[in-house]
């Protein structure tokens, strides 16, 4: 699985985002929900885009960082930001700032898939921010330029659908 230390092109050279495939399966499966849910891509699908990174960076950051999907049923909708990880989920500070903007428009749920543990973790953005603000996760740097938080997945809500269900239904 790709990791945060690789550049964008190397991380995404396969054109397949395993975490997104797991999220699509989770939300569209009859195994988990009594009613039908729909997923629609809302974020920029960078994996299927041949625009150079410099052109993509010309798009305002809060637009580049719109959450990946809208998940909806007949009554309501949420934004879903999908992250893949191993045993620690990585959240860039600037991305979190953008997600907070979008959370004011419609609730943002973080869907994290651990490829090593084979678990799904979900947490409301507001709860993730409380966790971070609790001070247990110091900011770290990627490439000496981008601040991020590394959060052990066990600190996130394990398959926390009950915690977020009221935001979708």
């Amino acid at each position: 699985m790709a990791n945060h230390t690789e550049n964008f092109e190397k991380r995404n050279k396969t054109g397949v985002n395993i975490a997104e495939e797991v999220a699509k399966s989770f939300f569209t499966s009859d195994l988990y929900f009594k009613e039908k849910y729909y997923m629609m891509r809302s974020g920029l699908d960078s994996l299927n885009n041949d625009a150079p990174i410099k052109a993509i960076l010309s798009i305002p950051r809060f637009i580049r960082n719109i959450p990946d999907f809208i998940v909806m049923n007949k009554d309501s909708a949420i934004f879903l930001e999908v992250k893949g990880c191993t045993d620690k989920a990585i959240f860039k500070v600037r991305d979190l700032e953008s997600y907070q903007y979008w959370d004011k428009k419609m609730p943002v749920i973080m869907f994290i898939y651990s490829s090593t543990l084979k678990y799904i973790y979900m947490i409301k953005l507001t709860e993730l921010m409380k966790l971070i603000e609790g001070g247990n996760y110091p900011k770290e740097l990627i490439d000496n330029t981008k601040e991020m938080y590394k959060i052990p997945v066990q600190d996130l809500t394990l398959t926390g659908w009950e915690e977020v269900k009221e935001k979708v239904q």
Side-chain angles (χ1 to χ4, degrees), residues 9 49-58:
E9 288 82 9
N49 187 333
D50 62 354
I53 192 71
K54 191 170 185 171
I56 292 171
L57 291 175
S58 70

Side-chain angles (χ1 to χ4, degrees), residues 27 67-69 71 77-83 99 103 106-112 121-126 128 160-161 163-168:
F27 280 100
D68 297 313
F69 295 96
V71 177
I78 61 163
F79 279 123
L80 188 73
E81 176 60 22
V82 179
K83 302 269 184 208
Y99 302 149
D103 194 57
M106 188 164 61
V108 174
I109 305 300
M110 308 302 288
F111 181 101
I112 298 101
Y121 300 82
M122 284 192 276
I123 188 168
K124 297 174 190 175
L125 178 65
T126 53
L128 176 63
W161 184 245
E163 295 294 318
V164 296
K165 185 164 46 174
E166 74 274 6
K167 293 293 187 182
V168 175

Side-chain angles (χ1 to χ4, degrees), residues 22-37:
V22 171
K24 289 176 192 175
S25 176
F26 181 80
F27 280 100
T28 59
S29 171
D30 293 340
L31 297 174
Y32 303 107
F33 307 109
K34 293 178 183 173
E35 62 182 288
K36 187 160 179 75
Y37 287 87

Side-chain angles (χ1 to χ4, degrees), residues 59-73:
I59 299 169
R61 182 170 46 100
F62 84 99
I63 298 292
R64 284 194 320 263
N65 293 346
I66 188 170
D68 297 313
F69 295 96
I70 295 173
V71 177
M72 65 203 109
N73 64 17

